[in-house]
């Protein structure tokens, strides 16, 4: 049976990126060795990471005074590296979900944190508006897409202090004005590549301002200086990122991704909004295009488990909602074809017909 992969992360990747990565595992670009057994300091691997960085810069239109890094440790290690490198007096954070909350907790280990606004009062079902970014903060941190709760901040804010963003789950889904940010990071495993690698886009001038000593491996300057090759990087994962970026470019780039992501998410949100049985959990103007969260209306609540079973039988994978929201979550990352969205909608209609 054909599987429709709505996993929240690790998640669906372009088929061609997987096939080309599999070929490189057998023989890296004709060099006679596997991608898994070449030196990260070989000219073959240098060409891989150079191409990944160049494609990332080209596709995201990253200005020349920014560096692109591929590191280990996940977005979760960035929760620590960001304050380690940037927090001197005080940091400001926007609390829009569990990941933002974890980032705040980590920053509090390094200094005072002002939470400028939070949507925790409504189980994070909206993005706060009309907040003021304190001008005395060292930086302001936002989570652009809340993978668990399904809300998204799609404006590149004007910030009076350096803007830092966790873009783990909506990177490359819309054109971003990178020049408005000082640092952007994320785990690759939602929209860019496989698990195991973390991307960081950092502007040189935001670094070097804290007085604390920073361990070598946690210092962005180390990785900038050595082009992400201070220590052994996650070579395989970087290769697949490069292949995903090549695919994305061939599709027409970030603008084309955005158009498709709008079509896919509108299709599913319309189906939810017109349904007797299902209802969205996020306020309309804060809805994510990447992670669509919905539940069953009160009178059908007892049918949620039955729908999950039914959907599974039709090849739907990964649509169970996170335990903090319940219900369902369909992740519509770039590589997910619109046919899969339609298949899920068909499945919802069929279930509704039989049960509502
Ligand atoms: C998945 C996710 C993380 C955690 O990423 P790891 O790479 O597992 O550490 C952090 N932030 C957001 C927004 C995420 O979606």
């Amino acid at each position: 049976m054909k599987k429709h992969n709505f996993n929240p992360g690790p998640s669906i990747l372009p088929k061609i990126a997987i096939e080309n990565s599999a070929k490189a595992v057998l023989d890296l670009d004709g060099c006679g060795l596997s991608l898994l057994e070449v030196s990260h300091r070989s000219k073959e691997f240098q060409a891989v990471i150079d191409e990944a960085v160049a494609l990332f810069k080209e596709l995201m239109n990253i200005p020349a005074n920014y560096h692109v890094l591929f590191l280990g440790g996940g977005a979760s290690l960035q929760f620590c590296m960001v304050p380690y490198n940037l927090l001197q007096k005080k940091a400001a954070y926007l609390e829009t979900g569990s990941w933002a909350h974890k980032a705040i907790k980590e920053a509090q280990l390094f200094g005072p944190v002002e939470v400028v606004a939070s949507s925790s009062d409504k189980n994070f079902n909206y993005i706060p508006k009309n907040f003021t970014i304190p001008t005395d903060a060292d930086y302001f941190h936002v989570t652009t897409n809340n993978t668990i709760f399904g809300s998204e901040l799609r404006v590149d804010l004007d910030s009076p202090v350096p803007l830092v963003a966790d873009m783990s789950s909506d990177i490359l889904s819309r054109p971003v004005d990178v020049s408005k940010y000082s640092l952007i990071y994320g785990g690759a495993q939602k929209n860019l590549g496989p698990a195991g690698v973390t991307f960081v886009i950092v502007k040189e001038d935001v670094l070097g301002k804290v007085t604390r000593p920073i361990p070598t491996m946690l210092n962005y300057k180390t990785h900038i200086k050595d082009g992400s090759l201070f220590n052994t990087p996650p070579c395989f994962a970087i290769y697949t990122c490069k292949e995903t970026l090549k695919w994305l470019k061939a599709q027409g780039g970030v603008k084309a991704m955005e158009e498709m992501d709008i079509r896919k998410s509108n299709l599913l949100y319309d189906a939810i909004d017109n349904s007797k049985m299902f209802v969205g959990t996020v306020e309309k103007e804060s809805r994510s295009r990447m992670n669509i969260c919905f539940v069953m209306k009160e009178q059908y609540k007892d049918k949620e488990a039955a729908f999950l079973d039914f959907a599974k039988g039709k090849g739907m994978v990964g649509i169970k909602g996170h335990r903090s929201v319940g219900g369902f979550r369909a992740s519509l990352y770039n590589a997910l074809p619109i046919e899969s969205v339609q298949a899920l909608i068909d499945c919802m209609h069929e279930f509704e017909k039989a049960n509502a």
Side-chain angles (χ1 to χ4, degrees):
M1 189 207 322
K2 180 173 169 38
K3 294 283 168 86
H4 299 282
N5 186 356
F6 297 95
N7 275 327
S11 43
I12 188 163
L13 289 171
K15 193 156 180 280
I16 183 87
I18 295 173
E19 284 169 356
N20 287 345
S21 303
K23 283 184 197 152
V25 166
L26 298 176
D27 183 354
L28 173 60
D29 303 333
C31 83
L33 295 175
S34 165
L35 166 60
L36 306 181
E37 55 184 5
V38 298
S39 165
H40 59 295
R41 309 216 179 268
S42 63
K43 72 174 188 337
E44 287 82 8
F45 186 73
Q46 189 64 53
V48 170
I49 193 163
D50 286 348
E51 190 179 355
V53 169
L55 282 165
F56 215 153
K57 285 186 171 168
E58 177 190 341
L59 288 164
M60 285 196 60
N61 203 10
I62 299 174
N65 52 336
Y66 286 70
H67 299 274
V68 171
L69 308 175
F70 289 109
L71 309 176
S76 299
L77 187 60
Q78 294 307 307
F79 296 166
C80 150
M81 270 177 82
V82 165
Y84 223 137
N85 285 263
L86 306 185
L87 199 166
Q88 182 69 31
K89 315 177 296 286
K90 169 178 141 176
Y93 278 68
L94 186 64
E95 190 185 38
T96 50
S98 313
W99 295 116
H101 182 75
K102 286 184 174 161
I104 290 165
K105 270 188 65 182
E106 215 60 18
Q108 283 167 338
L109 297 172
F110 297 90
V113 173
E114 181 175 334
V115 178
V116 300
S118 171
S119 47
S120 64
D121 57 332
K122 291 187 177 169
N123 201 29
F124 299 113
N125 75 351
Y126 70 103
I127 302 282
K129 279 198 294 209
N130 304 323
F131 47 80
T132 311
I133 305 168
T135 53
D136 61 342
D138 297 314
Y139 64 92
F140 178 53
H141 180 284
V142 295
T143 310
T144 52
N145 186 65
N146 300 284
T147 324
I148 291 176
F149 296 94
S151 67
E152 189 174 14
L153 172 72
R154 274 190 299 270
V155 278
D156 302 314
L157 298 172
D158 290 304
S159 170
V161 297
L163 184 61
V164 175
D166 175 356
M167 292 197 187
S168 292
S169 51
D170 64 351
I171 190 79
L172 298 161
S173 68
R174 66 170 178 93
V176 165
D177 182 353
V178 175
S179 72
K180 291 210 172 161
Y181 298 83
S182 290
L183 197 152
I184 298 171
Y185 67 87
Q189 70 274 16
K190 312 308 186 0
N191 220 5
L192 175 62
V197 65
T198 311
F199 62 87
V200 176
I201 301 165
V202 57
K203 193 176 173 188
E204 184 95 58
D205 71 0
V206 78
L207 302 173
K209 296 191 174 155
V210 296
T211 51
R212 74 175 65 83
I214 305 172
T216 311
M217 271 297 284
L218 299 182
N219 194 330
Y220 290 116
K221 287 191 166 183
T222 303
H223 302 290
I224 291 173
K225 183 167 160 287
D226 285 345
S228 302
L229 295 172
F230 170 75
N231 71 320
T232 318
C235 299
F236 174 80
I238 292 170
Y239 191 94
T240 309
C241 290
K242 186 242 323 170
E243 288 299 318
T244 305
L245 291 165
K246 266 168 62 183
W247 168 85
L248 206 151
K249 184 176 171 182
Q251 302 303 300
V254 171
K255 192 76 200 144
M257 286 300 120
E258 180 183 47
E259 281 162 21
M260 198 38 121
D261 292 335
I262 290 173
R263 276 180 62 195
K264 289 189 298 188
S265 54
N266 282 347
L267 196 61
L268 183 52
Y269 280 126
D270 285 347
I272 293 167
D273 291 341
N274 292 317
S275 155
K276 279 202 289 265
M277 198 169 227
F278 300 96
V279 59
T281 57
V282 174
E283 285 188 4
K284 281 193 183 167
E285 55 181 15
S286 300
R287 284 173 161 180
S288 168
R289 291 178 188 148
M290 297 283 105
N291 311 96
I292 281 80
C293 293
F294 54 107
V295 294
M296 276 186 179
K297 291 181 182 168
E298 217 42 59
Q299 67 269 38
Y300 299 113
K301 272 275 177 228
D302 60 334
K303 300 209 187 297
E304 286 192 345
F307 177 68
L308 278 177
D309 263 0
F310 180 78
K312 192 174 168 201
K314 300 271 182 191
M316 306 299 142
V317 176
I319 61 161
K320 189 171 167 41
H322 189 274
R323 64 186 176 281
S324 42
V325 183
F328 317 101
R329 168 178 52 174
S331 298
L332 314 185
Y333 295 123
N334 287 345
L336 184 89
I338 196 161
E339 293 73 27
S340 288
V341 181
Q342 193 54 56
L344 174 60
I345 294 169
D346 292 346
C347 183
M348 290 160 67
H349 285 160
E350 203 180 319
F351 186 82
E352 191 168 312
K353 234 187 195 155
N355 292 279

